[in-house]
Amino acid sequence: MGRDLADVLISEEAIRARLAEIAAEVDAEYAGKDLLLVGVLKGAVMVMADFARALHGPAEMDWMAVSSYGSGTKSSGVVRILKDLDRDVLGRHVLIVEDIIDSGLTLSWLVANLRSRGAASVEVMALLRKPEAAKVAVDVKHVGFDIPNAFVVGYGLDFDERFRNLRVVGTLAEHVYSS
Ligand code: IMP
């Protein structure tokens, strides 16, 4: 799989260290509160698993699956719920755990959706953020890394369902797109 990467943007160690920093901030912010982590499948699986374990305080986890991308690399702008949360978020303090914010379309829709269900608070933690995301009027409380505007894979992120299990975040080599 290593041959398929053009560049490693973020190493395993850097991800681990940054998640520990964010977890310490989140522990302080939610001390004494009932925290619900909401992960967006499938991309956020790795960040949720590592981030949740970096927290010291209690947190529940729930998952949603939404469609925003087809099998290519462009955002469709259409968000559809493929799998909804298992439990009600009414009165809960929700922290959305996202892999990456690109156009921000998925995220702004998700924040509005969870607020409309009566969550006590809805905040966002995203491992990666691309420059376009700055244009979206969604307040992202915690960002792991700001990255350049390139298509990235690994650590949960895929290209046509491949490369999610890479331990690093990287850009793809040209031959992967053209094959
Ligand atoms: P947005 O709605 O444009 O912010 O995109 C949200 C979703 O698109 C993310 O949760 C990812 O699943 C996917 N996505 C955006 N950029 C990338 C990328 O560079 N690589 C892989 N998936 C991406």
Side-chain angles (χ1 to χ4, degrees), residues 15-28 35 37 46-59 61 95 125 127 155:
I15 294 171
R16 192 179 312 118
R18 187 71 188 107
L19 288 182
E21 286 173 4
I22 298 174
E25 291 166 15
V26 168
D27 271 328
L35 174 62
L37 303 175
M46 306 301 177
V47 53
M48 174 72 109
D50 288 343
F51 175 69
R53 286 180 295 179
L55 289 170
H56 292 284
M61 281 185 256
L95 181 62
M125 171 310 194
L127 181 70
Y155 202 72

Side-chain angles (χ1 to χ4, degrees), residues 68-69 75 98-107 130 150-153 157-158:
S68 57
Y69 270 60
S75 177
E98 264 282 27
D99 49 0
I100 188 165
I101 312 171
D102 183 0
S103 70
L105 289 170
T106 315
L107 186 65
K130 290 191 191 176
F151 191 78
V152 293
V153 294
L157 291 162
D158 73 309

